[in-house]
Amino acid sequence: MFKSSAAALALVACAALATGCQQPGDDAAAPQDAPAAASATATASAATTPSPSASPTGPSAANTAAVCRRADELIIEASRRITDDSAAATRRELTPEQLNGQLKGTLAGLADDLRKQAGNAEDARIRDLVTDAAKQIDAGAAAASPATWMATGFVRIPERLTRDCHV
């Protein structure tokens, strides 16, 4: 039973890892001076009257791409750690309680790292988005079975960040 739980956890972590790796195509191709250009564009836009179609998902602060990219990296790093821990747990024959303890620690650390990253965001929408991801991960760390939470809650977080953070 335990080996299948560890295998399932590793599969969930791999799925989360794959989801977190999905990057919008234009982020990778952006030139190094894109933040300065974005800032100049935002300043020019602020000087004009906003259009009626302006929405909160429009252009954001100059450091949004960097904050979102780092949030993705943190999730990928934690997913790899979870996968490695699950494989090691099988080899060392850890109890489910021991594996849950490791998983809770990894998730709590990830939530702390995301909160720190959220504090770097200049755009309030991005700060709130990353902070919300940290709160969700805190809930997973506090769950009675974080492995079960991984399959239902964690897998949605990278997907949401990819969709909403890189806008």
Side-chain angles (χ1 to χ4, degrees):
M1 170 81 179
F2 173 68
K3 286 189 179 191
S4 64
S5 297
L9 179 58
L11 180 62
V12 168
C14 288
L17 178 63
T19 302
C21 288
Q22 296 174 355
Q23 296 282 333
D26 51 343
D27 271 357
Q32 291 291 36
D33 60 349
S39 178
T41 303
T43 303
S45 296
T48 63
T49 306
S51 69
S53 63
S55 71
T57 60
S60 57
N63 77 338
T64 292
V67 169
C68 293
R69 187 172 21 261
R70 183 63 186 140
D72 288 345
E73 290 169 354
L74 290 168
I75 289 172
I76 290 167
E77 290 166 10
S79 296
R80 285 183 181 144
R81 200 167 30 257
I82 290 165
T83 301
D84 291 346
D85 287 349
S86 296
T90 301
R91 284 189 303 274
R92 294 184 315 211
E93 297 183 13
L94 295 181
T95 66
E97 293 78 20
Q98 290 170 318
L99 181 59
N100 274 338
Q102 282 183 329
L103 186 52
K104 287 178 182 226
T106 300
L107 291 173
L110 173 58
D112 289 343
D113 290 344
L114 285 174
R115 264 189 291 283
K116 290 175 191 169
Q117 195 57 36
N120 295 331
E122 295 171 1
D123 183 325
R125 183 183 64 83
I126 298 302
R127 185 173 37 256
D128 291 347
L129 180 68
V130 177
T131 299
D132 183 58
K135 287 178 186 175
Q136 290 177 43
I137 293 170
D138 277 333
S145 175
T148 301
W149 175 83
M150 291 283 298
T152 58
F154 186 75
V155 294
R156 285 186 247 146
I157 294 169
E159 182 180 281
R160 181 175 178 219
L161 287 174
T162 298
R163 183 188 66 234
D164 297 344
C165 198
H166 296 278
V167 177

